[in-house]
């Protein structure tokens, strides 16, 4: 595999492995709370539902869930014995919810597990509870404080001080899967809401019949097993999910859910294959019993958020490293590194990056190895990939040492080595400054490859800063590049630098790119569309819609590709369909248009109009027509 692909692979597979482990614990592997759902539409009101709480009462529930998940960790043919990770769960618990206090719009409950009935919990091939006594020790006699609204949505959860990771994560799973979105029932008998499902963030559709609800999983907007995939990069091959819910007497009396999902990658191979079942059943309600007192709770966590503590991380890391040592890693590189490919290459990368994460000081050894006179270009690229995947301060210091080495100052390898900074999830200011130095060297010495590679890396650093909430750094890095774009001496240099902003997310990109969207030079218009690819503002989207109607097919193709990873409105789809009717889209764009429409065809009927036009147009190829007709048939 190429080294840039290897970096993307390592980052995504790390999230898959952690997601597999957390799903096995019964927890969606996401960093976002499940907050109050936002209704999408409603129909006339019949029977409003809400939860009611009585101080001093105890709700006794039986809760059970089972599931299997198989996620691809290694591509076939990379020398790995196993290409997928697997996890399985079959848990059944009895649970008590003490009503501690009641507010106008909700209540505070104290949760505890009172019995363990089934205890299978496999985490990456390891049994969390080999015997029932292990489960009772970890789960019983512990408490969590849950705040839940009268609308059925859980808000946050605080855990008893000293509670083990497995207890906290099981509570989070139960809380998330028990939450229901009742608020819109006050105005209608059907509604849609954003909720967290077993496999990620999703849209669900409710239908109400008095006290009974059905909930259908309409689609997943993101999957927890993958880090930031665009809709075009994954294909949901199968999604069947639904729940039967009963709310009676102000309490959730029953939740029964079953779901099946399969997600394929761009190569058609299964990336995620999972099944999940969940049951919550109210057994009885006792009154006149106070909630447990005198318990010290830690700070609350958003409901549904996984709790990945030090013990869990150590176990996951040990399984990932799988016995690899510092001595063996350095020996492997000395023996095979100059060829750039290791035996069982992808699995070796997985283990080596895990070891580097566990033992950060190895980064210094890797930098020395990269700068040895006998090191080949392939070895240096491989080492920089390892360092970028680890990404910690020690790894970034080692990367800077390699990039600043006088031995590489005039080497053509410096450009691809600078590119590795683009794969850092949190580049430091020192690392960004090192890349800026490389950019200036490239400009001064006329090394165009080095200058453009550095520009892309700086834009990626800006994008990472945006993702990490550091808007000031993100904007400052974009402003640096904006000044260089304005002062470029040739249209070709200006277009290349403008296109490098594709990795930046800062709204400041809009001000830089917008003037070039009306340029007479098609290359500059295309570069402006490329620059706006990750800028998620309404203004950026509108510019891309305009560029999609351009007279140059290259500009259109780039603009349409940039629209794939954002949500289009019904008006946007009507504009694109109108452009199709006007003959603005040639047949060369059919595949791009269909891929764009496919990503949202199930969400908005307006997207189907474009699909229908592709299916009916005489000039459409047989393959595209067949795909379009299949999409229309699938959505009815």
């Amino acid at each position: 595999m190429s080294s840039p692909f290897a970096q993307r692979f390592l980052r995504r597979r790390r999230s898959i492995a952690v997601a597999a482990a957390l799903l096995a614990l019964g927890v969606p592997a996401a960093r976002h709370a499940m907050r109050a759902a936002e209704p999408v539409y409603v129909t006339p009101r019949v029977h409003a539902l809400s939860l009611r709480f009585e101080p001093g009462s105890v709700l006794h529930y039986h809760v059970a869930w089972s599931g299997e998940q198989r996620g691809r960790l290694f591509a076939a043919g990379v020398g790995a014995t196993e290409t997928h990770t697997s996890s399985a769960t079959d848990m059944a618990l009895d649970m008590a919810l003490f009503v501690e206090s009641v507010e106008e719009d909700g209540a505070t409950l104290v949760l505890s597990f009172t019995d363990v009935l089934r205890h299978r919990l496999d985490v990456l091939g390891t049994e969390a509870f080999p015997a029932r006594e292990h489960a009772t020790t970890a789960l019983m006699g512990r408490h969590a404080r849950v705040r839940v609204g009268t609308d059925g949505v859980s808000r946050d959860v605080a855990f008893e001080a000293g509670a083990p990771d497995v207890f906290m994560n099981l509570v989070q799973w139960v809380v998330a899967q028990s939450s229901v979105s009742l608020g819109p029932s006050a105005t209608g008998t059907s509604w849609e809401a954003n909720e967290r499902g077993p496999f990620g963030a999703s849209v669900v559709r409710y239908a109400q019949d008095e006290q009974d609800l059905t909930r259908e999983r309409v689609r997943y907007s993101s999957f927890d097993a993958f880090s930031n995939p665009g809709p075009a990069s994954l294909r949901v091959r199968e999604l069947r999910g639904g729940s039967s819910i009963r709310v009676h007497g102000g309490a959730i009396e029953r939740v029964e859910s079953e779901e099946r999902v399969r997600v394929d990658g761009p190569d058609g191979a299964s990336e995620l294959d999972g099944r999940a079942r969940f049951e919550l059943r109210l057994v009885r309600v006792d009154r006149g019993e106070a909630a447990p007192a005198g318990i010290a709770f830690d700070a609350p966590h958003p409901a549904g958020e996984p709790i990945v503590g030090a013990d869990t991380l150590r176990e996951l890391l040990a399984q990932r490293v799988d016995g690899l040592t510092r001595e063996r890693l350095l020996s492997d590189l000395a023996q095979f590194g100059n060829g750039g490919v290791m035996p069982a290459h992808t699995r070796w990368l997985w283990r080596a990056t895990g070891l580097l994460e566990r033992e950060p000081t190895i980064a210094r050894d890797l930098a020395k190895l990269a700068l040895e006179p006998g090191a080949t270009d392939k070895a240096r690229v491989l080492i920089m990939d390892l360092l970028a995947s680890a990404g910690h301060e020690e790894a970034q210091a080692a990367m800077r040492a390699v990039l600043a080495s006088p031995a590489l100052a005039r080497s053509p390898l410096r450009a691809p080595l600078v590119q590795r900074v683009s794969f850092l999830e949190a580049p430091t200011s020192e690392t960004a400054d090192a890349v800026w130095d490389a950019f200036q060297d490239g400009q001064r010495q006329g090394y165009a490859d080095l200058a453009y590679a550095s520009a892309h890396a700086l834009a990626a650093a800006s994008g990472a800063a945006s993702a990490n909430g550091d808007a000031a750094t993100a904007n400052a890095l974009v402003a640096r590049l904006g000044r260089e774009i304005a002062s470029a001496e040739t249209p070709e240099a200006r277009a290349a630098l403008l296109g490098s902003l594709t990795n930046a997310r800062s709204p400041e990109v809009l001000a830089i790119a917008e003037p070039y969207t009306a340029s007479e030079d098609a290359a500059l218009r295309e570069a402006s569309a490329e620059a706006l690819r990750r800028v998620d503002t309404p203004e950026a989207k509108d510019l891309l819609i305009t560029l999609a109607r351009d007279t140059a097919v290259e500009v259109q193709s780039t603009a349409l590709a940039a629209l794939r990873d954002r949500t289009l409105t019904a008006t946007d789809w009507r504009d694109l369909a109108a452009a199709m009717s006007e003959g603005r889209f040639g047949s060369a764009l059919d595949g791009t248009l269909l891929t764009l429409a496919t990503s949202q065809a199930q969400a908005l009927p307006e997207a189907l109009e474009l699909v229908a036009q592709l299916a009916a147009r005489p000039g459409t190829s047989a393959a595209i027509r067949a795909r379009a007709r299949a999409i229309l048939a699938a959505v009815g």
Side-chain angles (χ1 to χ4, degrees):
M1 71 175 64
S2 66
S3 293
F5 177 78
Q7 273 300 317
R8 291 192 296 272
F9 168 88
L10 289 169
R11 182 174 303 156
R12 189 174 67 160
R13 301 309 170 194
R14 181 165 59 236
S15 71
I16 288 175
V18 173
L22 291 174
L23 182 68
L25 288 175
V27 180
R31 292 291 183 184
H32 304 290
M34 192 176 92
R35 294 186 172 86
E38 299 175 1
V40 178
Y41 66 82
V42 295
T43 55
R45 174 187 182 230
V46 172
H47 185 79
L49 295 175
S50 64
L51 301 186
R52 300 192 302 273
F53 304 95
E54 180 182 342
S57 61
V58 186
L59 292 84
H60 294 271
Y61 282 95
H62 171 78
V63 59
W65 67 99
S66 60
E68 298 175 350
Q69 176 173 306
R70 191 167 183 262
R72 186 161 67 160
L73 183 60
F74 303 115
V78 300
T81 304
E82 296 290 340
T83 61
H84 288 70
T85 62
S86 297
S87 59
T89 306
D90 185 11
M91 296 285 298
L93 306 169
D94 285 339
M95 176 178 72
L97 291 175
F98 296 83
V99 180
E100 184 178 61
S101 62
V102 177
E103 298 82 38
E104 182 178 354
D105 60 348
T108 300
L109 314 176
V110 176
L111 179 155
S112 66
F113 295 124
T114 57
D115 199 2
V116 176
L117 307 174
R118 296 197 302 273
H119 58 84
R120 184 187 178 188
L121 190 61
D122 296 341
V123 183
L124 297 178
T126 300
E127 290 186 42
F129 304 130
R132 182 177 180 275
E133 53 265 30
H134 295 94
T136 57
T137 299
L139 303 179
M140 292 179 62
R142 305 181 187 278
H143 301 85
R145 176 179 279 157
V146 183
R147 289 199 314 130
V148 62
T150 56
D151 59 359
V153 177
S154 300
R155 298 169 181 169
D156 55 44
V157 183
F159 296 97
E160 183 176 350
D165 291 357
V166 67
F167 171 79
M168 294 189 287
N169 281 302
L170 290 182
V171 168
Q172 289 284 50
W173 167 260
V174 171
V175 167
Q177 300 309 309
S178 303
S179 289
V180 292
S181 302
L182 301 178
S185 69
T187 52
T189 58
S190 63
W191 62 92
E192 289 189 355
N194 300 312
E195 292 186 358
R196 180 155 295 282
F199 303 101
S202 71
V203 175
V204 295
R205 180 180 295 121
Y206 280 87
Q208 179 186 354
D209 181 9
E210 296 293 333
Q211 299 173 100
D212 294 310
L213 299 168
T214 58
R215 179 176 60 192
E216 176 191 3
R217 193 82 55 202
V218 178
R219 66 185 180 276
Y220 275 95
S221 52
S222 65
F223 288 95
D224 295 330
F226 311 108
S227 57
N228 300 323
S233 64
L234 298 171
R235 181 178 181 185
V236 180
R237 177 73 65 178
E238 181 179 2
L239 174 57
R240 290 183 285 111
S243 303
S244 171
I245 302 164
R246 182 171 178 80
V247 179
H248 179 69
I252 298 176
E253 189 173 275
R254 182 189 72 248
V255 177
E256 295 177 352
S257 304
E258 186 167 0
E259 187 155 322
R260 168 82 169 86
V261 66
R262 173 175 168 166
V263 182
D264 290 352
D267 59 357
S270 173
E271 292 279 353
L272 172 66
D273 195 342
R275 302 172 186 269
R277 294 173 62 98
F278 178 80
E279 177 190 2
L280 179 78
R281 177 168 46 84
L282 181 62
V283 177
R284 70 179 191 276
V285 178
D286 294 337
R287 290 176 172 81
E289 188 171 348
I295 300 172
F297 290 98
D298 290 332
H301 299 263
E305 182 177 275
I307 313 297
V308 185
D311 291 343
T312 299
L313 287 176
R314 277 193 297 270
E315 177 62 25
L316 291 172
L317 204 53
Q319 293 184 42
R320 174 177 169 182
V321 171
D322 194 22
L324 185 65
T325 63
R326 175 194 297 250
E327 292 73 23
R328 178 59 186 272
L329 182 148
L330 297 175
S331 173
D332 286 349
L333 285 170
Q335 185 175 359
F336 302 107
N338 279 345
V341 178
M342 311 300 291
H345 184 74
T346 306
R347 183 171 183 272
W348 184 90
L349 286 175
W350 178 248
R351 298 170 68 202
T353 53
L355 180 64
L356 188 56
E357 186 174 332
R358 191 171 69 183
E359 300 182 33
T361 58
I362 296 176
R364 292 195 296 269
D365 298 328
L366 294 179
K368 292 176 183 176
L369 200 59
L371 294 175
E372 286 185 355
T376 65
D377 288 353
K378 290 181 178 179
R380 287 168 175 155
V381 168
L382 175 60
I383 288 170
M384 289 289 277
D385 279 344
L386 292 174
L387 294 169
S389 180
H392 45 57
E393 174 53 43
E394 294 85 348
Q396 293 193 44
M399 294 177 75
R400 296 195 298 270
V402 173
L403 293 175
S405 170
L408 298 177
R410 297 182 179 276
S411 170
L413 181 66
R414 196 175 176 198
L417 293 183
V418 168
Q419 286 179 338
R420 270 60 202 166
V421 174
S422 299
F423 304 126
L424 290 170
E425 295 184 357
T428 64
S429 59
E430 294 84 357
T431 299
D433 288 342
V435 176
W436 179 249
D437 291 342
F439 175 83
Q440 291 182 310
D441 285 349
Q443 294 283 72
R444 282 194 300 267
Q445 300 179 41
Y447 296 159
D449 287 350
L450 178 59
Y452 298 146
S454 301
H456 275 275
L458 284 167
S462 171
S466 294
N468 294 325
D470 187 357
T473 297
N475 295 341
L477 290 171
V478 165
R480 280 185 178 183
L481 289 173
R483 290 189 290 271
E484 296 297 325
I485 292 167
S487 63
E489 295 181 355
T490 67
E492 293 79 12
R494 182 171 289 113
L497 289 174
L498 180 59
S500 73
L501 289 173
T502 188
N503 290 319
R505 303 171 184 266
S506 167
E508 298 299 318
V509 173
L510 183 67
I512 296 170
E514 185 172 12
Y516 300 106
T517 61
S519 171
E520 294 183 359
D521 187 338
L524 283 170
R525 299 199 304 275
E526 181 183 0
S528 68
E530 188 68 40
L532 294 170
R533 181 182 293 268
R534 298 181 186 276
V535 181
D536 190 14
T537 66
E539 296 80 7
K541 183 193 67 175
D542 290 344
L543 280 175
L544 289 169
I545 294 285
T546 300
L547 289 168
R549 302 169 66 95
D550 199 274
T551 56
V553 68
E554 295 84 0
V555 178
Q556 291 180 294
S557 179
T558 302
L560 290 170
L563 288 169
R564 281 195 305 232
D565 292 338
R566 63 190 75 214
T567 300
L568 303 185
T569 66
T571 299
D572 297 330
W573 284 111
R574 283 192 287 268
D575 287 346
L576 292 173
M580 171 75 81
S581 300
E582 295 164 8
R584 291 181 176 271
F585 298 138
S587 59
L589 295 172
D590 286 355
T592 303
L593 286 164
L594 187 59
T595 299
L596 173 62
T598 301
S599 68
Q600 298 180 42
Q602 294 183 349
L604 287 173
E606 289 79 6
L608 292 176
E609 173 59 27
L610 193 146
V611 178
Q613 289 191 46
L614 283 170
R617 193 174 63 178
T620 302
S621 70
I624 294 293
R625 183 177 290 109
R627 285 176 54 196
R629 287 174 175 172
I631 292 168
L632 293 172
V635 298

